[in-house]
């Protein structure tokens, strides 16, 4: 009799396990089915993004930072803050619009560079530099000459391009503590861009020489450690380009891969000197291209959809495996903004924020033309004359 009741209880437990297993399987099937439909069906994806995931936000329904136009504020996003510089004060606000810090920064015409926790601010055509980590000023410097460009890497190293000295161009590199690591001088060429590798090993500079009949462009790479002890032999690579091929932007991505952008091409250059063409827009109607992404580059091509309208076809290319992903915006792109894995497309009265996987992250709809956007880690600011609207990404 005892064994009979024990067996009956065991059967009840087994039924419960079977029911749970069936429920889990049904949930998995539902999730997989929804995922497939989401990927394949554009209309369903649009409905799911707006109605379920709440990816669409409207003007005047977000946290704001109020501005005074007469203060001539300069706005820049970095880390998870939005900074407003005015009257030598840099105020940092979080995603709710609450002030987090108030820093004294004696700059009126700023140029910026940010990377993760680090922000470098300099006076455009001036002498002052400020290095900010999180919400604090780490160091500040005054240089001789006029600053034309700055660049900060993920570890807080800062490269500063200075003109107006006895040489045509000087580049100074500082570490995250503000120690000057070296200076390099160029007497006949100017520098169009500079980038520091993510591991602090290399500094690459794009040089343009316009003194001859044709424009000559080249990229030189300096070994940062070697330059301290043997400056004359610190250049580890030089890449030359065709005559009149103008380098507009260079960027170090992972594994010390150097990405170079010219007017018509995007190329990847290894330390050994191997060049690989990633994109060529000479025969396409490319309106924008960017290499300022995390291990990706992107191009935007305008494509006619009917007699009076056109779409923007965004092609995102992974620089490691060369996989390509496309995203279609149903309007002409007027401007783009990029940071790490986010691409923001200004479509006039809308901004579409997409990631490098080709998925919509957020859509912002305005009642007027959008003229300026600032973008950083998980935060964006839509800039108006009297306010900044804050978007969480």
């Amino acid at each position: 009799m005892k064994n009979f009741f024990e067996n009956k209880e065991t059967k009840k437990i087994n039924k419960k396990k079977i029911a749970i297993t069936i429920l889990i399987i049904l949930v998995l099937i539902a999730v997989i089915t929804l995922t497939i439909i989401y990927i394949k069906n554009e209309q369903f994806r649009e409905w799911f993004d707006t109605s379920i995931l709440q990816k669409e936000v409207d003007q005047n329904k977000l946290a704001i930072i109020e501005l005074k136009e007469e203060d001539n504020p300069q706005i820049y996003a970095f880390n998870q803050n939005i900074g407003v510089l005015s009257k030598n004060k840099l105020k940092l606000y979080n995603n709710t619009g609450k002030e987090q810090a108030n820093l004294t920064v004696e700059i009126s015409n700023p140029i910026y560079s940010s990377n993760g926790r680090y922000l470098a601010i300099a006076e455009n055509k001036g002498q002052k530099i400020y290095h900010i980590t999180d919400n604090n000023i780490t160091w500040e410097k005054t240089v001789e000459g006029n600053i034309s460009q700055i660049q900060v890497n993920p570890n807080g190293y800062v490269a500063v391009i200075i003109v107006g000295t006895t040489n045509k161009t000087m580049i100074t590199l500082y570490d995250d503590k503000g120690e000057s690591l070296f200076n390099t001088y160029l007497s006949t060429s100017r520098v169009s861009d500079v980038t520091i590798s993510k591991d602090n090993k290399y500094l690459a500079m794009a040089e343009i020489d316009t003194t001859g009949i044709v424009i000559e462009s080249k990229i030189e790479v300096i070994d940062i450690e070697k330059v301290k002890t043997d400056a004359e032999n610190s250049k580890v690579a030089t890449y030359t380009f065709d005559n009149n091929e103008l380098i507009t932007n260079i960027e170090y991505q992972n594994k010390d891969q150097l990405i170079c952008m010219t007017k018509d091409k995007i190329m990847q250059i290894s330390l050994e000197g191997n060049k690989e063409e990633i994109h060529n827009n000479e025969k396409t109607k490319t309106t924008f291209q960017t290499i300022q992404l995390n291990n990706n580059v992107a191009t935007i091509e305008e494509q006619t959809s009917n007699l009076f309208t056109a779409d923007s076809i965004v092609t995102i290319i992974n620089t490691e495996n060369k996989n390509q992903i496309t995203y279609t915006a149903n309007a002409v792109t007027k401007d783009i903004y990029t940071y790490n894995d986010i691409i923001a497309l200004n479509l006039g009265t809308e901004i579409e924020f997409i990631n490098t996987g080709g998925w919509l992250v957020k859509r912002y709809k305005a009642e007027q033309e959008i003229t300026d956007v600032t973008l950083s880690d998980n935060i964006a600011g839509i800039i108006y004359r009297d306010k900044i609207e804050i978007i969480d990404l």
Side-chain angles (χ1 to χ4, degrees), residues 30-246:
V31 170
I32 292 169
T33 302
L34 280 173
T35 301
I36 293 171
I37 296 172
Y38 182 86
I39 294 171
K40 299 291 185 181
N41 190 308
E42 186 176 343
Q43 289 183 334
F44 175 80
R45 184 166 63 248
E46 176 71 18
W47 171 83
F48 199 83
D49 281 344
T50 56
S51 301
I52 305 300
L53 299 180
Q54 302 293 306
K55 289 185 178 182
E56 189 171 290
V57 294
D58 295 325
Q59 183 180 352
N60 299 322
K61 295 183 179 179
L62 299 169
I64 67 166
I65 301 167
E66 293 184 352
L67 301 175
K68 292 181 179 179
E69 189 177 9
E70 61 271 18
D71 291 342
N72 189 30
Q74 307 291 317
I75 296 100
Y76 191 81
F78 95 102
N79 203 1
Q80 296 184 26
N81 296 316
I82 291 179
V84 178
L85 176 60
S86 177
K87 296 181 178 179
N88 294 335
K89 293 292 183 181
L90 177 64
K91 295 182 179 181
L92 302 178
Y93 298 86
N94 64 14
N95 62 342
T96 66
K98 182 180 179 181
E99 185 178 317
Q100 300 293 101
N102 191 332
L103 309 176
T104 300
V105 176
E106 295 178 356
I107 287 176
S108 57
N109 184 22
I111 52 174
Y112 302 92
S113 176
S114 66
N115 212 319
R117 301 170 55 216
Y118 302 102
L119 172 67
I121 309 177
E123 183 76 50
N124 189 24
K125 308 304 181 188
Q127 291 76 45
K128 295 285 290 186
I129 309 166
Y130 289 84
H131 182 278
I132 295 169
T133 306
D134 296 325
N135 295 338
N136 300 293
I137 296 174
T138 317
W139 53 264
E140 60 181 273
K141 299 286 180 183
T142 302
V143 303
E144 293 184 6
N146 300 310
I147 299 166
S148 64
Q149 190 177 337
I150 54 173
Q151 185 68 240
V152 62
N153 84 340
N155 302 309
Y157 280 47
V158 179
V160 185
I161 301 175
I162 302 169
V163 296
T165 62
T166 53
N167 292 279
K168 195 176 186 72
T169 306
M170 181 177 78
I171 299 175
T172 301
L173 182 68
Y174 298 96
D175 67 11
D176 58 326
K177 301 295 189 298
E179 180 184 349
S180 178
L181 301 180
F182 70 88
N183 298 321
T184 186
Y185 303 90
L186 305 172
S187 58
T188 60
S189 59
R190 66 179 181 87
V191 177
S192 63
D193 200 13
V194 66
T195 182
I196 312 163
S197 64
K198 294 185 177 183
D199 55 11
N200 306 334
K201 287 184 179 179
Y202 304 108
L203 172 76
M205 47 190 179
E207 301 176 32
I208 299 173
D209 189 345
T210 58
T211 57
I213 298 174
V214 296
I215 297 173
E216 295 181 356
S217 295
K218 67 179 178 180
I219 297 174
E220 291 194 329
V221 179
I222 295 175
D223 186 313
I224 293 174
E225 277 300 316
K226 195 172 184 180
V227 75
K228 298 175 185 177
T229 55
D230 188 8
E232 290 185 2
N233 298 305
S234 62
K235 291 180 181 178
V236 294
T238 300
Y239 315 113
T240 58
F241 292 78
D242 296 337
N243 289 339
N244 293 320
E245 191 170 19
L246 193 64

Side-chain angles (χ1 to χ4, degrees), residues 19-35:
I20 293 172
T21 302
I22 291 172
L23 181 61
I24 291 172
I25 291 171
L26 290 174
V27 170
L28 286 173
I29 291 171
V31 170
I32 292 169
T33 302
L34 280 173
T35 301

Side-chain angles (χ1 to χ4, degrees), residues 149 151 192-194 206 219 246-251 259-262 289-292:
Q149 190 177 337
Q151 185 68 240
S192 63
D193 200 13
V194 66
I219 297 174
L246 193 64
I247 302 170
T248 57
N249 195 203
I250 57 175
E251 192 81 16
I259 309 299
C260 171
M261 187 170 79
T262 66
Q289 57 182 10
T290 179
I291 62 175
Q292 293 178 308

